[in-house]
Amino acid sequence: QVQLVESGGGLVQAGGSLRLSCAASGSIFSINVMGWYRQAPGKQRELVAAITSDGSTNYADSVKGRFTISRDNAKNTVYLQMNSLKPEDTAVYTCNAEGIEATGRGILSDFGSWGQGTQVTVSS
């Protein structure tokens, strides 16, 4: 199985910055897409940003111009640089990865994995 471990959440004042990291490990053959989702209390989970293996990115309108997603394919790691944070960015941020893993006996299989989530709190 593919595991995702996140780091970098915390408490920051409005206008501040945080950088989230998510490292994937396991029997990874390839990772097609890595992304960050967030869920605030009482709200549905939403896509924040995603990046493909060739570097194509997609952002939620609410974070465009403030957040930047990047990845290090050699390290199977995705980053989310969050600048100009607002109180409405407060949420649990969760990493997601989709790709192909190498199971036993040389069999390749699709996978989709989620991290455990990291809290981001922006105070006003």
Side-chain angles (χ1 to χ4, degrees):
Q1 291 187 349
V2 177
Q3 297 83 37
L4 303 180
V5 178
E6 301 139 336
S7 61
L11 172 65
V12 65
Q13 288 188 333
S17 298
L18 283 174
R19 187 189 193 215
L20 305 182
S21 300
C22 171
S25 63
S27 302
I28 299 168
F29 181 80
S30 64
I31 300 178
N32 299 329
V33 180
M34 300 188 81
W36 290 94
Y37 290 74
R38 68 185 180 186
Q39 186 168 22
K43 295 186 177 181
Q44 290 188 331
R45 183 166 60 190
E46 63 173 350
L47 175 67
V48 177
I51 184 168
T52 63
S53 57
D54 64 0
S56 296
T57 58
N58 182 37
Y59 294 93
D61 288 342
S62 59
V63 307
K64 284 181 180 178
R66 300 187 298 122
F67 291 11
T68 301
I69 190 170
S70 61
R71 65 188 280 178
D72 184 333
N73 291 328
K75 296 181 179 179
N76 291 325
T77 299
V78 64
Y79 307 95
L80 185 67
Q81 178 66 43
M82 305 184 291
N83 298 328
S84 302
L85 283 161
K86 304 175 181 180
E88 51 263 44
D89 294 318
T90 296
V92 174
Y93 285 70
T94 306
C95 175
N96 171 264
E98 297 178 1
I100 301 173
E101 64 177 330
T103 62
R105 294 170 290 178
I107 297 173
L108 300 180
S109 176
D110 294 337
F111 78 87
S113 296
W114 293 89
Q116 78 282 3
T118 185
Q119 177 70 45
V120 171
T121 302
V122 184
S123 63
S124 58

